Amino acid sequence: MSQPLHDWNLDPKAAIALQRRLASYLELEDRLEPVRHLAGVDIGFEAGGEVTRAAVVVLEWPFLGVVEEVVHREPTRMPYIPGLLSFRELPAALAAFGKLSIRPELVMVDGQGIAHPRRLGVASHLGLWLDLPSIGVAKSRLCGHHGEPGPERGDWVPLLDGRGERQETIGVVLRSRRGVKPIFVSPGHRISLPTALDWVVQCLGRTKLPEPTRLADRLASRRIASHHS
DNA sequence: GCGACAG
DNA sequence: ATCTTGTCGC
């Protein structure tokens, strides 16, 4: 691609046009290297939103032990606008990735992949930018419609968007844990939906979120692991 | 025009 | 996302 991947000072209209163009570069078929390390990415805020804190956690596959963690802080530059989340979070996330010594073969991002109005959620945008396979793992829905997944861990239903003939599957609504609200999984870049779902399920511990995202979430939110006896 | 709306 | 105590449940 010859066009720049981003322009952080875009007005909403230009940002939307950019998303449409970038989405055309997405690869939704599997193109993964053997996975040795996978990363979880999430963003948090401090000082009432003035400071953006990006966290990246790298885990080893298949034991899911943490092998590297990075936290990067910088001034927040954009407000949160539904559909334009990546313009607010990606600068910090990319800076955090730049501090990483290990290059993971797969990335899970807290947010949507292609389950986005223009098929370019933050997970897709990040994957495209880094040219890495990426998966979106969101805690709630941005767009699309779906039924209620079964009650057991691993149960899921498709997340659909559009009507009639032009209806498309943009992700899955997964019951990652019994008795808990389901999570929204969608491919980001260089990965298919079945493979993305498989990776998320394989990374599930006994919590709602898969390990990569869960740990990044904790780091970004300054939460500390609590112990139970 | 009226809702919906990742984090 | 973030501001926040106690409380219900495995």
Side-chain angles (χ1 to χ4, degrees):
Chain A
M1 56 193 100
S2 55
Q3 304 296 325
L5 278 174
H6 77 302
D7 178 342
W8 309 121
N9 298 311
L10 294 174
D11 59 272
K13 184 173 180 178
I16 287 173
L18 175 58
Q19 290 183 322
R20 289 209 167 86
R21 192 157 54 70
L22 292 181
S24 69
Y25 294 119
L26 287 179
E27 292 174 36
L28 297 178
E29 291 184 5
D30 295 321
R31 200 185 115 211
L32 297 87
E33 301 298 319
V35 175
R36 287 196 204 164
H37 298 105
L38 57 164
V41 187
D42 191 28
I43 273 58
F45 297 88
E46 304 174 352
E50 299 287 307
V51 175
T52 298
R53 180 179 49 243
V56 179
V57 177
V58 178
L59 317 183
E60 57 174 345
W61 177 258
F63 303 113
L64 301 180
V66 177
V67 293
E68 187 173 9
E69 293 186 332
V70 164
V71 172
H72 169 81
R73 292 179 174 70
E74 64 175 47
T76 300
R77 34 184 130 187
M78 306 281 284
Y80 166 67
I81 301 174
L84 300 181
L85 180 66
S86 63
F87 294 93
R88 171 176 166 84
E89 303 192 338
L90 275 197
L94 293 172
F97 253 88
K99 294 180 177 178
L100 229 48
S101 63
I102 298 173
R103 176 166 169 94
E105 289 80 32
L106 178 62
V107 183
M108 286 191 194
V109 183
D110 190 318
Q112 313 290 351
I114 62 168
H116 174 281
R118 292 165 294 281
R119 306 293 178 264
L120 195 86
V122 63
S124 294
H125 202 158
L126 180 69
L128 199 54
W129 180 274
L130 298 174
D131 189 24
L132 284 178
S134 63
I135 301 172
V137 180
K139 295 181 289 297
S140 61
R141 183 193 70 91
L142 172 59
C143 68
H145 50 275
H146 62 87
E148 180 74 11
E152 300 304 320
R153 151 194 279 246
D155 285 345
W156 59 270
V157 293
L159 176 60
L160 309 169
D161 199 19
R163 293 266 62 178
E165 295 306 300
R166 4 172 248 184
Q167 173 150 285
E168 49 185 326
T169 300
I170 57 177
V172 302
V173 183
L174 171 70
R175 186 77 66 188
S176 54
R177 188 186 175 182
R178 220 191 158 181
V180 174
K181 280 177 45 178
I183 59 178
F184 297 71
V185 178
S186 58
H189 180 47
R190 289 177 55 177
I191 196 167
S192 64
L193 178 55
T195 304
L197 173 59
D198 188 52
W199 274 103
V200 169
V201 170
Q202 296 297 321
C203 289
L204 284 178
R206 44 185 148 170
T207 49
K208 168 178 176 171
L209 297 174
E211 287 300 276
T213 294
R214 197 202 105 218
L215 295 172
D217 215 80
R218 207 182 60 181
L219 237 196
S221 302
R222 294 215 141 185
R223 269 169 271 155
I224 304 172
S226 63
H227 297 290
H228 300 289
S229 56

